[in-house]
């Protein structure tokens, strides 16, 4: 397609875009095309004012009273409820806090402790973000399990009666490949194993359906497609049916049934709060809470439709502009296998790019 035709198509797609006006909600200069939301989401403009209130009034004036009066203490569960509909979770199953890495650790050790019968094996996604592999290896060592590294598509063949749990990334962080969450979860369940999903590259970009597909545990970050800001806290999903048996390897005082009782013995809280550890990172957490307002009136399905249209169009432009053979798309062309990014392999530096 010619360059002019592509310009025209871009204008047509923009005109038909029901989410187009939402750009104004973000701090993006005119003319900027920001394509790094899969790494750090852009700043929703109103977060700055909200944080001025959090710092100036809640911290500066109310000080310690804000733990109750500004709802600081209950923020991890309250913000979890805001994330829940975005990942297809009913209420009471998500708690926000700590990093993704820390939540991977909690989820994997807890999954192994909950797995039925006598099992001695953990599966981990060979293509996962490296932190998942490191932590799964440590969780395996700590719990006396053998770690088996396998591609997501190989999980249904690799899982067996010895498998306690598997940790899989929903979308491959490098290629943008979307893995079959329903199929892999069902294959794990058929052998009695638990499914732990890392949603860092899918939450906020595409429908996940945690409850619908019977996922056991899930973790994800909030600084990418949820626009929570650099280092904003991650979240942990524990399916309601597992919460009574969720035995955290990090049972801090924030997850105690009576945290202010200051008793010596640990007694876990009920529900999602069981996934808490220590004092929440309130400033980052409240920036995330404010950022989630951009979802008001927006469905994940609408974002998914736009994301697919954008990645389709981007791939079309690559085909038109890149000299033959200069780049190879690693991101699958099929929508059912595509996350929300385009990854291109560049074997050699292209010398003659068409302008
Ligand atoms: C899939 C995936 N898992 C885990 C992480 C690491 O998360 P954190 O730095 O919040 O521990 C990332 C970071 O980009 C990621 O993409």
């Amino acid at each position: 397609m010619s360059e002019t035709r592509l310009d025209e198509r871009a204008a047509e797609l923009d005109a038909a875009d029901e989410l187009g006006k939402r750009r104004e909600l973000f701090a993006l200069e005119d003319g900027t095309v920001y394509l790094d939301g899969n790494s750090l989401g852009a700043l929703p403009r109103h977060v700055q004012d909200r944080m001025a209130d959090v710092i100036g009034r809640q911290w500066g004036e109310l000080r310690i009273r804000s733990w109750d009066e500004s709802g600081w203490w209950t923020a991890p569960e309250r913000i979890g409820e805001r994330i829940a509909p975005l990942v297809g979770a009913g209420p009471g199953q998500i708690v926000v806090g700590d990093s993704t890495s820390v939540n991977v650790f909690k989820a994997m050790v807890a999954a192994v402790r909950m797995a039925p019968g006598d099992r001695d094996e953990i599966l981990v996604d060979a293509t996962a973000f490296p932190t998942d592999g490191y932590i799964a290896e440590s969780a395996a060592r700590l719990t006396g399990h053998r770690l088996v590294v396998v591609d997501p598509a190989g999980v249904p063949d690799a899982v067996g009666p010895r498998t306690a749990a598997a940790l899989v990334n929903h979308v491959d962080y490098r290629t943008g490949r979307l893995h079959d969450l329903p199929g892999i979860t069902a294959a794990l369940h058929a052998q009695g194993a638990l499914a732990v999903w890392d949603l860092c590259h899918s939450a906020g970009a595409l429908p996940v359906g945690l409850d619908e597909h019977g996922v056991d545990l899930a973790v994800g970050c909030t600084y990418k497609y949820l626009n929570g800001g650099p280092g904003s806290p991650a979240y942990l999903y524990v399916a309601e049916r597992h919460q009574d048996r969720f035995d955290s390897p990090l049972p801090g005082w924030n997850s105690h049934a009576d945290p202010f009782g200051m008793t010596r013995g640990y007694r876990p809280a009920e529900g999602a709060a069981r996934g808490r550890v220590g004092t929440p990172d309130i400033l980052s957490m409240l920036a995330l809470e404010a950022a989630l307002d951009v979802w008001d009136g927006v469905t994940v399905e609408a974002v998914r439709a736009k994301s697919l249209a954008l990645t389709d169009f981007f791939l079309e432009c690559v085909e038109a502009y890149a000299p033959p053979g200069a780049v190879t798309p690693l991101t699958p062309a099929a929508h059912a296998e595509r996350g929300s990014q385009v990854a291109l392999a560049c074997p050699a530096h292209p010398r003659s790019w068409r302008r």
Side-chain angles (χ1 to χ4, degrees):
M1 193 180 285
S2 75
E3 210 168 311
T4 327
R5 242 339 254 134
L6 282 170
D7 280 352
E8 283 166 10
R9 274 229 333 119
E12 281 162 22
L13 287 167
D14 278 349
D17 177 11
E18 63 168 290
L19 296 177
K21 292 289 280 178
R22 297 261 158 184
R23 181 189 158 92
E24 291 166 11
L25 300 179
F26 294 88
L28 291 169
E29 310 79 26
D30 282 349
T32 296
V33 177
Y34 187 64
L35 298 178
D36 289 324
N38 64 321
S39 180
L40 178 68
L43 169 70
R45 287 182 197 280
H46 69 283
V47 171
Q48 234 168 322
D49 284 347
R50 190 79 68 83
M51 291 313 288
D53 177 64
V54 168
I55 293 172
R57 187 180 60 83
Q58 297 186 13
W59 180 14
E61 294 171 23
L62 296 177
R63 291 177 287 272
I64 199 169
R65 285 161 51 195
S66 271
W67 282 106
D68 288 323
E69 292 178 23
S70 305
W72 287 358
W73 183 260
T74 50
E77 293 83 33
R78 183 176 72 244
I79 303 169
E81 299 302 9
R82 298 282 302 276
I83 294 173
L86 305 179
V87 290
Q93 300 177 102
I94 295 188
V95 68
V96 173
D98 309 309
S99 63
T100 314
S101 304
V102 171
N103 283 303
V104 167
F105 179 73
K106 292 181 219 167
M108 288 312 289
V109 175
V112 164
R113 288 176 175 175
M114 286 195 278
D118 202 13
R119 294 167 183 249
D120 62 359
E121 191 177 87
I122 293 175
L123 303 185
V124 67
D125 177 348
T127 61
F129 189 84
T131 206
D132 292 34
Y134 308 152
I135 288 172
E137 197 275 330
S138 175
R141 206 148 33 91
L142 272 169
T143 56
H145 284 61
R146 194 166 69 92
L147 188 70
V148 179
V149 183
V150 59
D151 276 343
V155 169
D157 286 334
V159 63
R162 296 174 64 171
T163 313
L167 170 63
V168 190
N169 281 193
H170 195 192
V171 172
D172 185 312
Y173 74 104
R174 280 173 307 187
T175 63
R177 177 177 290 278
L178 171 65
H179 297 301
D180 176 13
L181 180 146
I184 293 172
T185 302
L188 288 164
H189 288 175
Q191 294 288 342
L194 277 81
V196 183
W197 285 90
D198 180 333
L199 310 177
C200 281
H201 287 264
S202 58
L206 52 96
V208 177
L210 289 178
D211 288 352
E212 182 188 348
H213 303 303
V215 168
D216 300 289
L217 296 144
V219 302
C221 72
T222 62
Y223 42 74
K224 301 180 194 289
Y225 300 114
L226 298 177
N227 310 298
S232 57
Y235 56 90
L236 171 68
Y237 163 90
V238 182
E240 197 175 7
R241 65 186 179 283
H242 292 311
Q243 287 177 351
D244 283 351
R245 289 186 310 119
F246 179 84
D247 179 6
S248 173
L250 296 171
W253 74 288
N254 267 232
S255 64
H256 195 285
D258 181 16
F260 293 96
M262 303 291 167
T263 52
R264 291 200 71 76
Y266 179 75
R267 208 158 36 84
E270 296 291 319
R274 201 173 275 209
R276 289 175 69 154
V277 183
T279 307
D281 182 348
I282 291 297
L283 297 185
S284 285
M285 205 167 272
L286 298 189
L288 165 65
E289 184 172 36
L292 290 168
D293 287 355
V294 300
W295 284 93
D296 290 350
V298 175
T299 63
V300 183
E301 287 71 20
V303 170
R304 174 61 168 165
K306 174 158 183 172
S307 154
L308 288 173
L310 279 169
T311 47
D312 275 344
F313 185 63
F314 191 91
L315 286 166
E316 248 179 75
C317 292
V318 168
E319 210 176 296
Y321 285 88
V327 293
T328 314
L330 299 176
T331 306
H335 285 182
E337 293 172 11
R338 190 191 305 164
S340 191
Q341 70 188 60
V342 172
L344 304 171
C346 309
H349 191 70
R351 278 177 208 177
S352 58
W353 289 78
R354 246 194 301 149
R355 289 192 46 86

